[in-house]
Amino acid sequence: MASVEVSLKEMMAGVEGVLGAAVVDYTSGMALGTLGGSKDLDLTIAAAGNTDVIRAKVRTMEQLGLRDQIEDILITLDRQYHLIRLVTGRTGNGLFLYLVLDKARSNLAMARHQLKCVEGAIEI
């Protein structure tokens, strides 16, 4: 089992082209931890904003009567991928992993795989 700090380091080290990572509580919108980022990428603001994305998707799924669970959400920008993975299991209820990637330098499939591995090991 991995702590937030260890999980963030694994998220950053596991994939080329990572610009920033966060572990976020989507019930409150607060980042439990961040690593990376820049003056143009405030991970605390991004964490809060992506909480709204998750809440909207969960609401829509409920309205549609979908019983599936969200694995991840991908937002593709001109130069970046923003990848959100919900943490499942009893220790991760209400959490998500957030990874920002440089689109030109990263491998999206590897990033998804890495987040799945981190999600399986994180313990809060």
Side-chain angles (χ1 to χ4, degrees), residues 7-79:
S7 296
L8 288 167
K9 288 178 183 176
E10 288 176 0
M11 290 165 64
M12 292 290 289
V15 181
E16 189 175 337
V18 175
L19 302 174
V23 176
V24 185
D25 176 349
Y26 70 82
T27 57
S28 67
M30 297 203 48
L32 302 179
T34 63
L35 194 58
S38 66
K39 66 179 179 114
D40 296 324
L41 177 61
D42 186 324
L43 291 169
T44 304
I45 293 172
N50 284 304
T51 296
D52 293 335
V53 171
I54 292 174
R55 289 178 184 162
K57 187 59 187 171
V58 169
R59 235 184 354 265
T60 301
M61 289 175 62
E62 287 172 357
Q63 292 170 345
L64 293 171
L66 298 176
R67 304 216 187 282
D68 288 336
Q69 290 187 350
I70 299 170
E71 284 185 24
D72 53 39
I73 297 171
L74 171 64
I75 300 169
T76 305
L77 304 178
D78 290 338
R79 295 184 304 264

